Amino acid sequence: MIEINNNIIEIIRKDFKSAFSNPIVTIVIIGLIIIPSLYALLNIQACWDPYGNTGNVAFAIANSDKGASFDGVNINVGDELVKDLRNNDKFNWTFVTEDELRDGVYKGEYYAGIVLPENLSKNVVSITSDDPQQAKLEYIVNMKENPVAAKLTDSGSTAVYNALNAKIIEIINLAAYGKLGELQSGLASGAGQLASGGSQLASGAGQVSSGASQLSSGAGQLSDGAGQLADGAQQLSDGAGQVAAGTQQASDKVNMYNTEIHQATGYIREHTSSSAIHEITDEIDSRSDNVAGKVGQLNNGAGQVANGSSSLAANSQLLKGGIDELAEGSLSLAAGSVLLSNAATQALFTAAASLASSADSLASITGINETILGDYFYAPVKLDRHELFPVPDYGSQVSPFYLVLSMWVGALITCAMLKPGTSEGTKYSPLEMYAGKAVIFLILSLLQCSVTIIGAHLLGIYISNEIMFILSCLTVSGVFMIFVYSLVSALGDVGKAVAIVLLVLQISGTGGIYPVEIMAPLFNIMNPILPMTYAITLVREAQLGLIWSNYIPALAVLLAIGFITVIVMLVIKSKADKITHYFEKCLEESGLF
């Protein structure tokens, strides 16, 4: 064990002596320390605020709008848009003719351009007519010139589009504003008329109630008269009965008397033959027969009168009962009319109050400042943005990716420039060679990381947790160097190739800039096994907002990847160090490597 330690220390001393034995070697080593930091810092600076530096991006505008008339006023939406864009510094707006625009975008003089057609204003104001026409802009973009510029100019076209829509909404608002005023006036008038109609209905319902009361009173009087009529009819019936009885008695007496005359006349006829007596007696017989007949008729009539009087009395009772029901119905009608009056009046006054309230609301709307009204209709719903872990600039947001990437690049460049050494032909074992040479590589990685950290502070990137940021960067840099060094130490140039392939895969597969979910399925599969996936998480958490439940698992996986790589590569180096040396020797002898 002591011999192994001495051999490792001896290798370390030789490396440090070689590093300062020649000024050129020292300069190269210093370059190895600085270059990786430049890779990160220059990229971060380049994209510090890409969307805030579009003022120099050429964007052409061709205004061919001939204007239109709206509500008696001449307007030109194209001229107003141009005026607004002259005060907009988002792009380098260049105002040209339509032919110049098309030719300039075609040749790449402008990244993009928008043509405002001659019927722009006419179509805009047509929204207030019965035949509205859609206003159209022509957006021309050169997709070949620059992929990012094409995306940036899309935001420029959106700005023009939004400005045009704002003008359209302003015109709609002005038209709707006047219509709202008319509607408010009509509602107020209708509310007044409805309230007046409610009063008239209440008055009419009162008259119905009063008439129903009079009807009830008259029905009561009619009921009383019907009662009296029934009483009189009963008395008449009783009198008629008495008359009938009297006439019956008279008839009986007459019949009795008639018999006795007849007897007298018969007696006279039997004892006298005087013609005069015969004539007298005949006359008496005739008259008595006549009287008897009349009395019989009177008796029959008196009976009919008695029967009719009984019917009249009975019908009079029925009439009295019907009149009583009529009186009760009249009282119900009076009460119902009062309820109708109250309910209808209440409903009408409620409706009138609602209309009046609506009219008042519209009156308040039509009194709003037109600028405020336009803002409301242009954006009636406001989206409140709440940022978690806010970052002041885009450069700080992407810095975890570029910092970690620079650490991998630094390890790759260092392992490509310095020889990891081989035990073949030396007194050292593969383990001694691996451990002894690893020290200078690890020290260089820490120096590279330190320069990068200093540069990040000078650049002004946002750091949430200073101590954790420094420790995280040093940890990532050390693990990356051990990882790449182990590959190259065990596999030689093959190890370098593997490190380069991993670099390419990790640029897109770790989700450092673009979400890995939008990448090809291959990157989604590889993401969990790539070292930079966890390294970016460590730096991001420490720099932009630390969540321990994210940080600790990422740290554990990263250290595990490094540890497993070291163990595997040591096994390979101990078994294949001779083969690796032979492979590299063959490449060197070819004169190409």
PDB file of all heavy atoms in Angstrom, residues 244-273:
ATOM      1  N   ALA A 244    -161.290  30.460  -4.414  1.00  0.00           N
ATOM      2  CA  ALA A 244    -161.741  29.196  -4.998  1.00  0.00           C
ATOM      3  C   ALA A 244    -162.738  28.506  -4.072  1.00  0.00           C
ATOM      4  O   ALA A 244    -163.760  27.958  -4.519  1.00  0.00           O
ATOM      5  CB  ALA A 244    -160.526  28.303  -5.254  1.00  0.00           C
ATOM      6  N   ALA A 245    -162.454  28.575  -2.752  1.00  0.00           N
ATOM      7  CA  ALA A 245    -163.387  27.944  -1.794  1.00  0.00           C
ATOM      8  C   ALA A 245    -164.736  28.654  -1.804  1.00  0.00           C
ATOM      9  O   ALA A 245    -165.805  28.032  -1.771  1.00  0.00           O
ATOM     10  CB  ALA A 245    -162.756  27.973  -0.396  1.00  0.00           C
ATOM     11  N   GLY A 246    -164.677  30.018  -1.857  1.00  0.00           N
ATOM     12  CA  GLY A 246    -165.928  30.810  -1.873  1.00  0.00           C
ATOM     13  C   GLY A 246    -166.743  30.526  -3.104  1.00  0.00           C
ATOM     14  O   GLY A 246    -167.973  30.386  -3.047  1.00  0.00           O
ATOM     15  N   THR A 247    -166.117  30.503  -4.248  1.00  0.00           N
ATOM     16  CA  THR A 247    -166.830  30.257  -5.496  1.00  0.00           C
ATOM     17  C   THR A 247    -167.408  28.852  -5.521  1.00  0.00           C
ATOM     18  O   THR A 247    -168.461  28.604  -6.115  1.00  0.00           O
ATOM     19  CB  THR A 247    -165.915  30.469  -6.709  1.00  0.00           C
ATOM     20  OG1 THR A 247    -164.738  29.657  -6.551  1.00  0.00           O
ATOM     21  CG2 THR A 247    -165.487  31.919  -6.838  1.00  0.00           C
ATOM     22  N   GLN A 248    -166.671  27.927  -4.866  1.00  0.00           N
ATOM     23  CA  GLN A 248    -167.200  26.568  -4.796  1.00  0.00           C
ATOM     24  C   GLN A 248    -168.479  26.537  -3.969  1.00  0.00           C
ATOM     25  O   GLN A 248    -169.471  25.903  -4.346  1.00  0.00           O
ATOM     26  CB  GLN A 248    -166.138  25.616  -4.189  1.00  0.00           C
ATOM     27  CG  GLN A 248    -166.595  24.160  -4.173  1.00  0.00           C
ATOM     28  CD  GLN A 248    -166.791  23.595  -5.569  1.00  0.00           C
ATOM     29  OE1 GLN A 248    -165.971  23.814  -6.451  1.00  0.00           O
ATOM     30  NE2 GLN A 248    -167.905  22.892  -5.807  1.00  0.00           N
ATOM     31  N   GLN A 249    -168.432  27.329  -2.833  1.00  0.00           N
ATOM     32  CA  GLN A 249    -169.648  27.389  -1.996  1.00  0.00           C
ATOM     33  C   GLN A 249    -170.807  28.051  -2.769  1.00  0.00           C
ATOM     34  O   GLN A 249    -171.962  27.615  -2.710  1.00  0.00           O
ATOM     35  CB  GLN A 249    -169.353  28.175  -0.717  1.00  0.00           C
ATOM     36  CG  GLN A 249    -168.392  27.453   0.224  1.00  0.00           C
ATOM     37  CD  GLN A 249    -168.041  28.293   1.441  1.00  0.00           C
ATOM     38  OE1 GLN A 249    -168.572  29.423   1.605  1.00  0.00           O
ATOM     39  NE2 GLN A 249    -167.201  27.745   2.323  1.00  0.00           N
ATOM     40  N   ALA A 250    -170.454  29.148  -3.498  1.00  0.00           N
ATOM     41  CA  ALA A 250    -171.500  29.841  -4.292  1.00  0.00           C
ATOM     42  C   ALA A 250    -172.079  28.910  -5.338  1.00  0.00           C
ATOM     43  O   ALA A 250    -173.285  28.891  -5.606  1.00  0.00           O
ATOM     44  CB  ALA A 250    -170.906  31.098  -4.943  1.00  0.00           C
ATOM     45  N   SER A 251    -171.179  28.137  -5.944  1.00  0.00           N
ATOM     46  CA  SER A 251    -171.635  27.217  -6.982  1.00  0.00           C
ATOM     47  C   SER A 251    -172.575  26.182  -6.395  1.00  0.00           C
ATOM     48  O   SER A 251    -173.599  25.836  -6.993  1.00  0.00           O
ATOM     49  CB  SER A 251    -170.422  26.548  -7.639  1.00  0.00           C
ATOM     50  OG  SER A 251    -170.844  25.612  -8.586  1.00  0.00           O
ATOM     51  N   ASP A 252    -172.203  25.727  -5.190  1.00  0.00           N
ATOM     52  CA  ASP A 252    -173.090  24.737  -4.546  1.00  0.00           C
ATOM     53  C   ASP A 252    -174.459  25.349  -4.217  1.00  0.00           C
ATOM     54  O   ASP A 252    -175.512  24.712  -4.424  1.00  0.00           O
ATOM     55  CB  ASP A 252    -172.417  24.220  -3.255  1.00  0.00           C
ATOM     56  CG  ASP A 252    -171.179  23.394  -3.545  1.00  0.00           C
ATOM     57  OD1 ASP A 252    -171.021  22.915  -4.706  1.00  0.00           O
ATOM     58  OD2 ASP A 252    -170.297  23.255  -2.641  1.00  0.00           O
ATOM     59  N   LYS A 253    -174.377  26.573  -3.695  1.00  0.00           N
ATOM     60  CA  LYS A 253    -175.670  27.255  -3.372  1.00  0.00           C
ATOM     61  C   LYS A 253    -176.487  27.460  -4.626  1.00  0.00           C
ATOM     62  O   LYS A 253    -177.730  27.274  -4.644  1.00  0.00           O
ATOM     63  CB  LYS A 253    -175.391  28.621  -2.701  1.00  0.00           C
ATOM     64  CG  LYS A 253    -174.755  28.508  -1.306  1.00  0.00           C
ATOM     65  CD  LYS A 253    -175.720  27.895  -0.282  1.00  0.00           C
ATOM     66  CE  LYS A 253    -175.135  27.909   1.111  1.00  0.00           C
ATOM     67  NZ  LYS A 253    -176.065  27.319   2.108  1.00  0.00           N
ATOM     68  N   VAL A 254    -175.833  27.914  -5.699  1.00  0.00           N
ATOM     69  CA  VAL A 254    -176.561  28.170  -6.954  1.00  0.00           C
ATOM     70  C   VAL A 254    -177.217  26.883  -7.463  1.00  0.00           C
ATOM     71  O   VAL A 254    -178.374  26.862  -7.914  1.00  0.00           O
ATOM     72  CB  VAL A 254    -175.645  28.800  -8.013  1.00  0.00           C
ATOM     73  CG1 VAL A 254    -176.328  28.836  -9.365  1.00  0.00           C
ATOM     74  CG2 VAL A 254    -175.261  30.207  -7.605  1.00  0.00           C
ATOM     75  N   ASN A 255    -176.418  25.797  -7.381  1.00  0.00           N
ATOM     76  CA  ASN A 255    -176.973  24.519  -7.850  1.00  0.00           C
ATOM     77  C   ASN A 255    -178.195  24.117  -7.002  1.00  0.00           C
ATOM     78  O   ASN A 255    -179.190  23.592  -7.509  1.00  0.00           O
ATOM     79  CB  ASN A 255    -175.896  23.425  -7.793  1.00  0.00           C
ATOM     80  CG  ASN A 255    -174.829  23.616  -8.875  1.00  0.00           C
ATOM     81  OD1 ASN A 255    -175.133  24.187  -9.926  1.00  0.00           O
ATOM     82  ND2 ASN A 255    -173.625  23.153  -8.621  1.00  0.00           N
ATOM     83  N   MET A 256    -178.004  24.379  -5.678  1.00  0.00           N
ATOM     84  CA  MET A 256    -179.147  24.057  -4.802  1.00  0.00           C
ATOM     85  C   MET A 256    -180.353  24.922  -5.144  1.00  0.00           C
ATOM     86  O   MET A 256    -181.474  24.428  -5.264  1.00  0.00           O
ATOM     87  CB  MET A 256    -178.715  24.242  -3.353  1.00  0.00           C
ATOM     88  CG  MET A 256    -179.820  23.855  -2.327  1.00  0.00           C
ATOM     89  SD  MET A 256    -179.286  24.185  -0.644  1.00  0.00           S
ATOM     90  CE  MET A 256    -179.225  25.983  -0.713  1.00  0.00           C
ATOM     91  N   TYR A 257    -180.042  26.210  -5.312  1.00  0.00           N
ATOM     92  CA  TYR A 257    -181.161  27.114  -5.655  1.00  0.00           C
ATOM     93  C   TYR A 257    -181.736  26.756  -7.014  1.00  0.00           C
ATOM     94  O   TYR A 257    -182.920  26.881  -7.270  1.00  0.00           O
ATOM     95  CB  TYR A 257    -180.670  28.584  -5.657  1.00  0.00           C
ATOM     96  CG  TYR A 257    -180.333  29.090  -4.256  1.00  0.00           C
ATOM     97  CD1 TYR A 257    -179.389  30.108  -4.084  1.00  0.00           C
ATOM     98  CD2 TYR A 257    -181.003  28.562  -3.129  1.00  0.00           C
ATOM     99  CE1 TYR A 257    -179.094  30.586  -2.827  1.00  0.00           C
ATOM    100  CE2 TYR A 257    -180.693  29.042  -1.872  1.00  0.00           C
ATOM    101  CZ  TYR A 257    -179.710  30.050  -1.719  1.00  0.00           C
ATOM    102  OH  TYR A 257    -179.426  30.524  -0.474  1.00  0.00           O
ATOM    103  N   ASN A 258    -180.917  26.385  -7.910  1.00  0.00           N
ATOM    104  CA  ASN A 258    -181.383  26.067  -9.261  1.00  0.00           C
ATOM    105  C   ASN A 258    -182.372  24.861  -9.216  1.00  0.00           C
ATOM    106  O   ASN A 258    -183.364  24.824  -9.933  1.00  0.00           O
ATOM    107  CB  ASN A 258    -180.162  25.792 -10.157  1.00  0.00           C
ATOM    108  CG  ASN A 258    -180.563  25.627 -11.609  1.00  0.00           C
ATOM    109  OD1 ASN A 258    -181.333  26.439 -12.142  1.00  0.00           O
ATOM    110  ND2 ASN A 258    -180.097  24.571 -12.249  1.00  0.00           N
ATOM    111  N   THR A 259    -181.975  23.951  -8.396  1.00  0.00           N
ATOM    112  CA  THR A 259    -182.875  22.785  -8.272  1.00  0.00           C
ATOM    113  C   THR A 259    -184.311  23.238  -7.703  1.00  0.00           C
ATOM    114  O   THR A 259    -185.358  22.788  -8.162  1.00  0.00           O
ATOM    115  CB  THR A 259    -182.194  21.752  -7.335  1.00  0.00           C
ATOM    116  OG1 THR A 259    -180.908  21.376  -7.881  1.00  0.00           O
ATOM    117  CG2 THR A 259    -183.063  20.516  -7.188  1.00  0.00           C
ATOM    118  N   GLU A 260    -184.138  24.067  -6.680  1.00  0.00           N
ATOM    119  CA  GLU A 260    -185.437  24.568  -6.068  1.00  0.00           C
ATOM    120  C   GLU A 260    -186.258  25.544  -7.063  1.00  0.00           C
ATOM    121  O   GLU A 260    -187.509  25.572  -7.041  1.00  0.00           O
ATOM    122  CB  GLU A 260    -185.045  25.281  -4.762  1.00  0.00           C
ATOM    123  CG  GLU A 260    -184.458  24.308  -3.676  1.00  0.00           C
ATOM    124  CD  GLU A 260    -184.017  25.042  -2.457  1.00  0.00           C
ATOM    125  OE1 GLU A 260    -184.044  26.296  -2.456  1.00  0.00           O
ATOM    126  OE2 GLU A 260    -183.578  24.388  -1.472  1.00  0.00           O
ATOM    127  N   ILE A 261    -185.722  26.166  -7.854  1.00  0.00           N
ATOM    128  CA  ILE A 261    -186.510  26.975  -8.836  1.00  0.00           C
ATOM    129  C   ILE A 261    -187.202  26.085  -9.827  1.00  0.00           C
ATOM    130  O   ILE A 261    -188.376  26.238 -10.236  1.00  0.00           O
ATOM    131  CB  ILE A 261    -185.627  28.018  -9.524  1.00  0.00           C
ATOM    132  CG1 ILE A 261    -185.026  28.969  -8.412  1.00  0.00           C
ATOM    133  CG2 ILE A 261    -186.321  28.901 -10.498  1.00  0.00           C
ATOM    134  CD1 ILE A 261    -183.972  29.714  -8.616  1.00  0.00           C
ATOM    135  N   HIS A 262    -186.384  25.437 -10.343  1.00  0.00           N
ATOM    136  CA  HIS A 262    -186.852  24.408 -11.295  1.00  0.00           C
ATOM    137  C   HIS A 262    -188.007  23.682 -10.728  1.00  0.00           C
ATOM    138  O   HIS A 262    -188.949  23.374 -11.435  1.00  0.00           O
ATOM    139  CB  HIS A 262    -185.697  23.376 -11.662  1.00  0.00           C
ATOM    140  CG  HIS A 262    -184.737  23.850 -12.712  1.00  0.00           C
ATOM    141  ND1 HIS A 262    -185.094  24.054 -14.025  1.00  0.00           N
ATOM    142  CD2 HIS A 262    -183.393  24.200 -12.657  1.00  0.00           C
ATOM    143  CE1 HIS A 262    -184.102  24.480 -14.710  1.00  0.00           C
ATOM    144  NE2 HIS A 262    -182.995  24.586 -13.897  1.00  0.00           N
ATOM    145  N   GLN A 263    -187.889  23.443  -9.323  1.00  0.00           N
ATOM    146  CA  GLN A 263    -189.011  22.797  -8.713  1.00  0.00           C
ATOM    147  C   GLN A 263    -190.207  23.732  -8.689  1.00  0.00           C
ATOM    148  O   GLN A 263    -191.376  23.302  -8.917  1.00  0.00           O
ATOM    149  CB  GLN A 263    -188.643  22.381  -7.253  1.00  0.00           C
ATOM    150  CG  GLN A 263    -187.595  21.263  -7.192  1.00  0.00           C
ATOM    151  CD  GLN A 263    -187.174  20.940  -5.774  1.00  0.00           C
ATOM    152  OE1 GLN A 263    -187.599  21.652  -4.812  1.00  0.00           O
ATOM    153  NE2 GLN A 263    -186.413  19.854  -5.615  1.00  0.00           N
ATOM    154  N   ALA A 264    -189.940  25.006  -8.421  1.00  0.00           N
ATOM    155  CA  ALA A 264    -191.035  25.992  -8.359  1.00  0.00           C
ATOM    156  C   ALA A 264    -191.683  26.149  -9.713  1.00  0.00           C
ATOM    157  O   ALA A 264    -192.920  26.200  -9.846  1.00  0.00           O
ATOM    158  CB  ALA A 264    -190.519  27.351  -7.865  1.00  0.00           C
ATOM    159  N   THR A 265    -190.876  26.261 -10.694  1.00  0.00           N
ATOM    160  CA  THR A 265    -191.429  26.462 -12.036  1.00  0.00           C
ATOM    161  C   THR A 265    -192.187  25.232 -12.473  1.00  0.00           C
ATOM    162  O   THR A 265    -193.222  25.318 -13.179  1.00  0.00           O
ATOM    163  CB  THR A 265    -190.313  26.775 -13.057  1.00  0.00           C
ATOM    164  OG1 THR A 265    -189.339  25.754 -12.988  1.00  0.00           O
ATOM    165  CG2 THR A 265    -189.659  28.105 -12.758  1.00  0.00           C
ATOM    166  N   GLY A 266    -191.716  24.106 -12.064  1.00  0.00           N
ATOM    167  CA  GLY A 266    -192.467  22.905 -12.414  1.00  0.00           C
ATOM    168  C   GLY A 266    -193.825  22.885 -11.705  1.00  0.00           C
ATOM    169  O   GLY A 266    -194.818  22.466 -12.279  1.00  0.00           O
ATOM    170  N   TYR A 267    -193.795  23.301 -10.506  1.00  0.00           N
ATOM    171  CA  TYR A 267    -195.061  23.341  -9.774  1.00  0.00           C
ATOM    172  C   TYR A 267    -196.026  24.315 -10.417  1.00  0.00           C
ATOM    173  O   TYR A 267    -197.213  24.015 -10.559  1.00  0.00           O
ATOM    174  CB  TYR A 267    -194.752  23.734  -8.319  1.00  0.00           C
ATOM    175  CG  TYR A 267    -195.992  23.821  -7.459  1.00  0.00           C
ATOM    176  CD1 TYR A 267    -196.592  22.638  -6.987  1.00  0.00           C
ATOM    177  CD2 TYR A 267    -196.600  25.063  -7.163  1.00  0.00           C
ATOM    178  CE1 TYR A 267    -197.765  22.743  -6.185  1.00  0.00           C
ATOM    179  CE2 TYR A 267    -197.744  25.140  -6.357  1.00  0.00           C
ATOM    180  CZ  TYR A 267    -198.290  23.982  -5.863  1.00  0.00           C
ATOM    181  OH  TYR A 267    -199.409  24.092  -5.088  1.00  0.00           O
ATOM    182  N   ILE A 268    -195.484  25.505 -10.787  1.00  0.00           N
ATOM    183  CA  ILE A 268    -196.341  26.515 -11.426  1.00  0.00           C
ATOM    184  C   ILE A 268    -196.899  25.956 -12.718  1.00  0.00           C
ATOM    185  O   ILE A 268    -198.071  26.146 -13.050  1.00  0.00           O
ATOM    186  CB  ILE A 268    -195.568  27.836 -11.658  1.00  0.00           C
ATOM    187  CG1 ILE A 268    -195.238  28.478 -10.322  1.00  0.00           C
ATOM    188  CG2 ILE A 268    -196.356  28.794 -12.543  1.00  0.00           C
ATOM    189  CD1 ILE A 268    -194.309  29.654 -10.445  1.00  0.00           C
ATOM    190  N   ARG A 269    -196.032  25.257 -13.471  1.00  0.00           N
ATOM    191  CA  ARG A 269    -196.473  24.741 -14.755  1.00  0.00           C
ATOM    192  C   ARG A 269    -197.561  23.690 -14.568  1.00  0.00           C
ATOM    193  O   ARG A 269    -198.467  23.527 -15.384  1.00  0.00           O
ATOM    194  CB  ARG A 269    -195.275  24.126 -15.532  1.00  0.00           C
ATOM    195  CG  ARG A 269    -194.355  25.200 -16.075  1.00  0.00           C
ATOM    196  CD  ARG A 269    -193.144  24.542 -16.721  1.00  0.00           C
ATOM    197  NE  ARG A 269    -192.255  25.541 -17.284  1.00  0.00           N
ATOM    198  CZ  ARG A 269    -191.071  25.285 -17.778  1.00  0.00           C
ATOM    199  NH1 ARG A 269    -190.646  24.028 -17.741  1.00  0.00           N
ATOM    200  NH2 ARG A 269    -190.358  26.261 -18.307  1.00  0.00           N
ATOM    201  N   GLU A 270    -197.433  23.041 -13.506  1.00  0.00           N
ATOM    202  CA  GLU A 270    -198.442  22.014 -13.302  1.00  0.00           C
ATOM    203  C   GLU A 270    -199.811  22.622 -12.892  1.00  0.00           C
ATOM    204  O   GLU A 270    -200.864  22.030 -13.134  1.00  0.00           O
ATOM    205  CB  GLU A 270    -197.969  21.030 -12.202  1.00  0.00           C
ATOM    206  CG  GLU A 270    -196.791  20.185 -12.654  1.00  0.00           C
ATOM    207  CD  GLU A 270    -196.344  19.348 -11.538  1.00  0.00           C
ATOM    208  OE1 GLU A 270    -196.868  19.418 -10.400  1.00  0.00           O
ATOM    209  OE2 GLU A 270    -195.365  18.520 -11.770  1.00  0.00           O
ATOM    210  N   HIS A 271    -199.822  23.730 -12.224  1.00  0.00           N
ATOM    211  CA  HIS A 271    -201.073  24.310 -11.705  1.00  0.00           C
ATOM    212  C   HIS A 271    -201.566  25.537 -12.454  1.00  0.00           C
ATOM    213  O   HIS A 271    -202.595  26.095 -12.115  1.00  0.00           O
ATOM    214  CB  HIS A 271    -200.884  24.702 -10.225  1.00  0.00           C
ATOM    215  CG  HIS A 271    -200.618  23.483  -9.358  1.00  0.00           C
ATOM    216  ND1 HIS A 271    -199.369  22.932  -9.178  1.00  0.00           N
ATOM    217  CD2 HIS A 271    -201.505  22.680  -8.683  1.00  0.00           C
ATOM    218  CE1 HIS A 271    -199.462  21.911  -8.366  1.00  0.00           C
ATOM    219  NE2 HIS A 271    -200.793  21.710  -8.035  1.00  0.00           N
ATOM    220  N   THR A 272    -200.872  26.052 -13.353  1.00  0.00           N
ATOM    221  CA  THR A 272    -201.353  27.196 -14.141  1.00  0.00           C
ATOM    222  C   THR A 272    -200.900  27.051 -15.560  1.00  0.00           C
ATOM    223  O   THR A 272    -199.842  26.450 -15.819  1.00  0.00           O
ATOM    224  CB  THR A 272    -200.886  28.537 -13.527  1.00  0.00           C
ATOM    225  OG1 THR A 272    -201.441  29.567 -14.289  1.00  0.00           O
ATOM    226  CG2 THR A 272    -199.371  28.653 -13.529  1.00  0.00           C
ATOM    227  N   SER A 273    -201.690  27.595 -16.459  1.00  0.00           N
ATOM    228  CA  SER A 273    -201.325  27.484 -17.884  1.00  0.00           C
ATOM    229  C   SER A 273    -201.077  28.814 -18.508  1.00  0.00           C
ATOM    230  O   SER A 273    -201.124  28.959 -19.717  1.00  0.00           O
ATOM    231  CB  SER A 273    -202.469  26.766 -18.638  1.00  0.00           C
ATOM    232  OG  SER A 273    -203.661  27.494 -18.503  1.00  0.00           O
TER     233      SER A 273
END
